Amino acid sequence: MTTEEEKTTAPAGSARRAVVGRLSWGLADQAASSMSNFAVGIYVARSLGPTAFGVFSLAWVTYGVVLGASRGLATDPLVVRFSAVPEASWRAAVARSSGAALGLGTAVGAVCLLVGLALGGSVGPAFACLGVVLPGLLLQDAWRFAFFAAGAGKKAFTNDLVWGVALVPAMVVAAHVGSVAAFMLAWGGSAAVAAGYGSLQSGIRPRPGQARGWLREQRDLGYRYLVENSSLSGAGQLRAYGLGAIAGVGAVGAVRGAELLQGPFLALLMGLSLVTVAEAARVLRRAPDRLGRFCLLLGGGQAAAALLWGAALLLVPDRLGEFVLGGVWHSASELIVPATLSVAGAGLGTGAAAGLRALGAARRSLRAQLFASACYAGGGLGGAAVAGTVGSAWGVAAATVGSSAVWWLHLRAGRREHHETSIPEVRTS
């Protein structure tokens, strides 16, 4: 790593090439991640059918909630405060933040294991296996954040490739077993392989014993980000559970199938902070007046790409759709239009969210996220009560598009406050 002083002395052309390079590796990493997630979802949907795929989706959504908590407490503060800092500061912070992620995964994993064993039936084994693999899943994600904070996106990309390679034989074995639990272990077990490789890449050993100190030092951002991320993933979990209660577990599988069709963009949105928050922090440090334009290009580009992808999905023939999703295709294809609008709205809002994270405006981002999460859950459940699965999809689409405007209003106010106070939020040591 180089110091910030060295970077600021580089010519403007070199700086632009460095930004493009980091963003390119970020896009490559997200492509690798999205392909892995897409392949897992498709393979499970084709192998298990709508109902069992619905059970797998419930466990997947639960993982999303825990992942959001881990990012909020452990790795979001790392990206905001330790991007483009001296290497010694970065290494010390990564050891503590990765230790916090590993500790959280172990603690919550134990709870999931006990709950799964107590539940039994068709759902219990999936949650028990999720508990087993959670530590590896969260640690692998923590390494990705660490590498992007250091501007080493190539290492994050390589780590995701390792996960993808390990996933292939694991999924083949799981297909022979033919159960939700087997697929959960294959997915999470291959992530643990990548997590171990991440420690070799960085030369850093996670230190769970220092997690408490990390949480204490980052509490001004971490706890707000925890609530923010948990409200987002919790709203998704509430919608999934509520939809399952209202319209059946098969409806959850249909929604997940529609999300898989949007896979490249949903995966990009889930891991967007790996690249964009660190990059927005660099823009803020060097040229604060360019932050708004950077966020607008980021959000607008994602929204436009999502709309183009959705338009292409509408042209997919049923035969090809059935080949990809099997029996899930028919119910999922009815949700393409509202799912596309949801992803486009989320992409537009994510541009503003990255700017707020870079500003360290945790209060404003928390308010915006709580509003968006409430709209998401309300729209999804209200739509389900009125018109089943399709109504839920349209309710979420309306909520997501409307919430993006709130994100941009908060970014505008946050930039004005930052200009007035001129207090930097990114630490340099």
Side-chain angles (χ1 to χ4, degrees):
M1 293 177 60
T2 58
T3 65
E4 187 66 20
E5 290 76 15
E6 292 172 335
K7 292 182 179 180
T8 55
T9 61
S14 299
R16 282 194 294 270
R17 286 193 295 272
V19 171
V20 172
R22 288 191 294 267
L23 289 176
S24 297
W25 279 117
L27 292 174
D29 175 72
Q30 291 307 319
S33 177
S34 64
M35 287 300 295
S36 296
N37 290 334
F38 183 75
V40 169
I42 295 300
Y43 207 59
V44 175
R46 286 178 55 83
S47 300
L48 300 181
T51 301
F53 184 58
V55 173
F56 182 86
S57 299
L58 289 176
W60 185 291
V61 170
T62 304
Y63 155 71
V65 175
V66 183
L67 179 64
S70 175
R71 288 181 174 181
L73 290 173
T75 49
D76 281 341
L78 174 75
V79 173
V80 171
R81 286 179 162 160
F82 293 91
S83 293
V85 300
E87 184 173 1
S89 298
W90 174 80
R91 293 181 66 86
V94 169
R96 291 179 293 158
S97 65
S98 61
L102 181 60
L104 179 65
T106 302
V108 179
V111 174
C112 287
L113 176 61
L114 294 176
V115 170
L117 294 175
L119 285 176
S122 60
V123 177
F127 279 85
C129 292
L130 175 64
V132 172
V133 300
L134 262 179
L137 286 166
L138 297 190
L139 181 58
Q140 192 274 339
D141 187 73
W143 291 129
R144 298 172 69 207
F145 271 77
F147 293 141
F148 278 111
K154 183 177 180 179
K155 290 186 176 182
F157 171 73
T158 303
N159 192 272
D160 269 325
L161 280 184
V162 170
W163 186 0
V165 171
L167 188 61
V168 173
M171 294 298 284
V172 172
V173 173
H176 283 294
V177 177
S179 67
V180 175
F183 280 106
M184 290 297 302
L185 291 175
W187 170 57
S190 55
V193 174
Y197 181 64
S199 186
L200 295 177
Q201 286 178 290
S202 63
I204 298 172
R205 183 167 59 89
R207 298 189 178 278
Q210 297 182 10
R212 182 175 297 180
W214 173 262
L215 296 178
R216 183 173 58 251
E217 292 174 12
Q218 310 301 326
R219 62 181 179 274
D220 58 328
L221 294 182
Y223 292 125
R224 289 192 176 98
Y225 289 158
L226 168 65
V227 176
E228 182 180 329
N229 292 353
S230 297
S231 69
L232 173 62
S233 52
Q237 188 176 33
L238 178 61
R239 181 213 181 182
Y241 289 168
L243 182 60
I246 295 171
V249 177
V252 181
V255 169
R256 177 60 185 157
E259 292 174 348
L260 283 174
L261 295 175
Q262 302 286 342
F265 300 100
L266 283 174
L268 181 65
L269 291 175
M270 287 181 63
L272 195 61
S273 59
L274 295 174
V275 187
T276 55
V277 174
E279 212 54 55
R282 291 183 176 95
V283 172
L284 181 65
R285 291 165 69 93
R286 294 175 182 145
D289 57 313
R290 297 181 182 177
L291 180 63
R293 186 175 68 173
F294 173 83
C295 294
L296 183 60
L297 289 173
L298 173 67
Q302 287 185 101
L307 291 174
L308 289 174
W309 180 261
L313 288 176
L314 292 174
L315 302 177
V316 174
D318 287 340
R319 181 176 298 180
L320 179 59
E322 291 171 359
F323 175 78
V324 174
L325 285 180
V328 180
W329 164 255
H330 291 289
S331 56
S333 62
E334 298 177 354
L335 311 180
I336 289 176
V337 174
T340 297
L341 293 176
S342 296
V343 176
L348 185 61
T350 300
L356 285 172
R357 286 288 177 92
L359 289 168
R363 289 186 178 181
R364 287 201 170 276
S365 62
L366 176 58
R367 292 172 191 166
Q369 187 58 69
L370 289 176
F371 177 83
S373 298
C375 290
Y376 181 94
L381 295 179
V386 173
T389 309
V390 175
S392 179
W394 277 107
V396 166
T400 306
V401 172
S403 299
S404 65
V406 175
W407 279 106
W408 282 98
L409 289 173
H410 276 285
L411 177 60
R412 181 181 179 182
R415 290 179 62 208
R416 183 171 61 248
E417 292 169 356
H418 181 271
H419 177 72
E420 292 172 353
T421 59
S422 299
I423 299 177
E425 288 291 337
V426 182
R427 294 180 180 173
T428 57
S429 61

